[in-house]
């Protein structure tokens, strides 16, 4: 299952510069709460043994790695799966990988994390 989670879209700011004036700190907090609600409501729909790929187009830790850490701390049946060592995209995080929009050639900022549902 893939969750292309709603986010603040900070990772695509290069292509959408209006994001820098439209987003507020309150937006980030509200979006992170929405993401958490979606995750908590989606998780029971995933069968034991299933995988959930969590994706955002944000570079904010609150929407990404912190969101995953918080989720796992509340779900004993959720295990983060590391991407293979030969993975050549993004920067390894405590959970998942973060792609950064460093220049016009590197693309947008995205975050990916893979969770496995185990027996609780």
């Amino acid at each position: 299952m893939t969750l292309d989670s709603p986010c603040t879209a900070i990772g695509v700011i290069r292509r959408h510069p209006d994001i820098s004036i439209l987003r507020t700190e309150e937006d980030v907090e509200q979006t992170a709460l929405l993401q958490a609600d979606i995750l908590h409501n989606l998780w029971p729909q995933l069968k034991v043994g299933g995988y959930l790929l969590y994706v955002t187009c944000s570079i904010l830790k609150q929407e990404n790695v912190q969101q995953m850490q918080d989720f796992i701390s509340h779900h004993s049946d959720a295990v983060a799966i590391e991407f293979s060592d030969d993975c050549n995209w993004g920067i390894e995080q405590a959970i998942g990988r973060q792609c950064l929009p460093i220049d016009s050639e590197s693309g947008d900022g995205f975050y990916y994390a893979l969770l496995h549902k185990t027996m609780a």
Side-chain angles (χ1 to χ4, degrees):
M1 180 180 299
T2 301
L3 172 57
D4 183 1
S5 188
C7 67
T8 58
I10 300 296
V12 296
I13 201 167
R14 181 173 36 90
R15 291 186 296 121
H16 302 281
D18 57 320
I19 290 172
S20 66
I21 58 174
L22 295 176
R23 296 293 182 266
T24 66
E25 195 166 316
E26 184 177 299
D27 291 334
V28 175
E29 292 171 15
Q30 291 299 315
T31 302
L33 289 172
L34 175 62
Q35 291 169 335
D37 284 346
I38 292 170
L39 280 163
H40 292 297
N41 287 305
L42 184 63
W43 193 247
Q45 308 306 313
L46 187 64
K47 292 181 180 180
V48 172
Y51 292 87
L52 173 68
L53 180 64
Y54 177 82
V55 182
T56 72
C57 60
S58 176
I59 60 172
L60 302 177
K61 291 188 182 296
Q62 187 174 354
E63 295 182 86
N64 297 334
V65 68
Q66 288 175 357
Q67 186 71 262
M68 291 292 94
Q69 289 170 324
D70 290 345
F71 181 80
I72 288 174
S73 73
H74 290 98
H75 292 85
S76 60
D77 59 347
V79 175
I81 302 298
E82 290 186 31
F83 292 96
S84 68
D85 289 339
D86 62 346
C87 184
N88 61 356
W89 52 268
I91 301 164
E92 185 177 1
Q93 304 293 298
I95 298 172
R97 295 189 75 84
Q98 180 74 63
C99 298
L100 297 173
I102 298 168
D103 56 39
S104 62
E105 302 298 318
S106 64
D108 294 323
F110 285 93
Y111 173 81
Y112 303 87
L114 184 61
L115 301 178
H116 179 73
K117 188 169 187 178
T118 63
M119 300 277 281

